[in-house]
Amino acid sequence: MSTANPSVEKVAQVILPAELLAHWQGHRTLTRKVIEAFPEKDFFEYSIGGMRPFSKMVDELLSIAGPGMKEIVSGKAAAFTEAVAHGNSKAKVLALWDEATEEINANWAKIGVDKFHDSIKLFGQYEGTIQSSILYFVDNEIHHRGQGYVYLRTLGIEPPMFWDRN
Amino acid sequence: MSTANPSVEKVAQVILPAELLAHWQGHRTLTRKVIEAFPEKDFFEYSIGGMRPFSKMVDELLSIAGPGMKEIVSGKAAAFTEAVAHGNSKAKVLALWDEATEEINANWAKIGVDKFHDSIKLFGQYEGTIQSSILYFVDNEIHHRGQGYVYLRTLGIEPPMFWDRN
C-alpha cells in the first residue's frame, strides 16, 4: 500500500467506513419505501406461508439496527428484544425508523476504521466482529425486505425498484 | 493509518478483499442450499404473486456472478443475458453454480485491493465501482433468495437457516 499519496492510500481499501454507512442507509431508505407501500392493515396483519406479518419483520430490524449500533459503540451488552412500542401505527413505525437513522449516523461517527475487526458478542449472544455484525444487519434487512416484496406482489401492489435507494 | 506494524495496518480496514470474497461465497453456499430445498418441478414452475419461478431468479444470479467477475477482471464489456443452458435440470443448475464458485475465486485473486474503487460500466450499462458492483451482486442475491424463502414456506417446506453459510 502506497503511503506517498494519501488520496491513493485512502481508497486502497475495499470499502471506506463512510461508504459502508451510505450503503446501509441506502438500503434503509429502500426498506422505508417498502413499509410505506403497505396498506396500514396489511402491514400489521397480512402474511402468507405461516410467516410473520411484515410489521413483525420491521420490529426485528428496528430492534437490531439502533440498539446494535449503540452496543457496538458503547461496548455495553443489552438483551435482545423485538418489542417495539408503535401501537400498530405505521406512522409511528416510520417515525421510529427515522429516529434509528439518526442514531445510526451519530454512533457510526464513533467507530474508527481500526475498530471494524474488534470482536463483539452482540446482545450477549451473537459472536463476531463489528464488521461481520454490521454486514449481518444489512443482509438480514435485505432478506426480510425481499420477503416483503413477495407480500406486496401477492397483494397486487408494485414494490419500489430494488435499486431505488435515495 | 499506522505503517509501523503491517499486521495492524492489515486490519485497519473495514473489510479485506479475502473477507468480502468469503462473505459472498458464504451467501452463495446458502443460496445453493435453497436451490436444493426446492422440489425439482417447483423450482422451475412454482410462483406466486405473478413473479418468476425461483429457477428464473437463479438464472439471473448465474448470469451476473461469473460473467460479472470476468468482466471486472478483463475489463471487456459483455452484453447481459439471462439465458442459462440447464435444460430445466436442477442438477445441471447446481453444477453451473459450482462452476461459477470456482470462476469467482479464480478471478477474485486478480483484483488488487487498490482496484475496488475503479469505475466500471458493467454489462455495458450499469455504472459504478468494482466495489459497488460486487455489493450489488451480493445484495441482489440475498433479495431474491429471501423471495425463494417465501416460495418454500408457501410450499410447506422449511428453508435452511439464514445464518447457515457453510
Side-chain angles (χ1 to χ4, degrees):
Chain A
M1 186 180 292
S2 164
T3 53
N5 183 340
S7 70
V8 170
E9 178 176 287
K10 185 170 176 288
V11 294
Q13 301 204 14
V14 174
I15 188 165
L16 302 171
E19 292 171 330
L20 182 57
L21 173 61
H23 180 72
W24 185 14
Q25 293 288 24
H27 275 298
R28 295 187 72 259
T29 297
L30 175 58
T31 305
R32 194 185 195 285
K33 291 177 204 246
V34 174
I35 297 169
E36 285 184 305
F38 270 86
E40 182 94 14
K41 183 176 163 67
D42 293 321
F43 180 65
F44 292 104
E45 296 180 9
Y46 182 74
S47 83
I48 49 181
M51 297 174 71
R52 295 173 287 177
F54 191 58
S55 63
K56 289 288 182 193
M57 300 184 194
V58 171
D59 285 353
E60 178 186 313
L61 301 178
L62 282 169
S63 300
I64 289 173
M69 279 301 295
K70 193 173 171 184
E71 181 170 334
I72 282 170
V73 166
S74 72
K76 287 183 198 151
F80 181 66
T81 169
E82 289 190 21
V84 178
H86 49 58
N88 279 9
S89 153
K90 213 176 74 166
K92 179 64 179 170
V93 171
L94 290 169
L96 290 169
W97 195 263
D98 295 339
E99 277 177 34
T101 302
E102 297 307 316
E103 192 176 1
I104 291 165
N105 286 342
N107 279 322
W108 194 274
K110 299 175 190 166
I111 314 175
V113 68
D114 58 319
K115 297 296 182 195
F116 282 86
H117 285 79
D118 285 3
S119 296
I120 187 166
K121 194 171 178 179
L122 211 69
F123 302 118
Q125 57 183 317
Y126 304 107
E127 294 194 36
T129 61
I130 288 178
Q131 171 240 91
S132 71
S133 301
I134 291 169
L135 289 181
Y136 196 93
F137 299 171
V138 179
D139 295 348
N140 185 57
E141 177 167 341
I142 299 168
H143 174 70
H144 288 308
R145 190 183 57 213
Q147 300 177 328
Y149 271 61
V150 185
Y151 284 19
L152 286 174
R153 289 279 184 200
T154 59
L155 284 166
I157 296 166
E158 175 94 13
M161 301 303 289
F162 181 65
W163 40 258
D164 183 10
R165 317 273 172 86
N166 295 308
Chain B
M1 188 180 291
S2 167
T3 53
N5 183 339
S7 71
V8 168
E9 179 175 286
K10 186 169 174 288
V11 295
Q13 302 202 15
V14 173
I15 188 166
L16 300 171
E19 291 170 331
L20 182 56
L21 173 62
H23 180 71
W24 185 13
Q25 294 288 25
H27 274 298
R28 294 188 72 260
T29 298
L30 175 58
T31 304
R32 194 185 194 289
K33 292 177 201 245
V34 173
I35 296 169
E36 285 184 305
F38 271 86
E40 182 94 13
K41 185 177 161 66
D42 292 321
F43 179 64
F44 292 104
E45 296 180 10
Y46 182 74
S47 84
I48 48 179
M51 297 174 71
R52 295 172 287 178
F54 191 58
S55 62
K56 290 287 181 192
M57 299 184 195
V58 171
D59 284 354
E60 178 187 312
L61 302 179
L62 282 170
S63 301
I64 290 174
M69 278 302 294
K70 195 172 171 185
E71 182 170 334
I72 282 169
V73 166
S74 70
K76 287 183 197 151
F80 181 66
T81 170
E82 288 189 23
V84 177
H86 50 58
N88 279 10
S89 153
K90 214 177 75 166
K92 178 65 179 168
V93 171
L94 290 169
L96 291 169
W97 195 264
D98 294 339
E99 278 177 34
T101 302
E102 296 309 315
E103 194 177 358
I104 292 165
N105 286 343
N107 280 320
W108 194 274
K110 300 174 190 167
I111 315 176
V113 69
D114 58 321
K115 298 296 183 195
F116 281 87
H117 285 79
D118 285 2
S119 295
I120 188 165
K121 193 172 179 178
L122 210 69
F123 304 117
Q125 55 182 319
Y126 304 106
E127 295 193 37
T129 62
I130 289 179
Q131 169 240 93
S132 71
S133 300
I134 292 168
L135 289 180
Y136 196 92
F137 300 170
V138 179
D139 295 348
N140 185 56
E141 177 168 340
I142 299 168
H143 174 70
H144 287 309
R145 190 183 58 215
Q147 299 177 330
Y149 271 61
V150 185
Y151 284 20
L152 287 173
R153 287 281 183 199
T154 59
L155 284 165
I157 296 166
E158 175 95 11
M161 300 304 289
F162 181 66
W163 41 258
D164 182 9
R165 317 275 172 86
N166 295 309

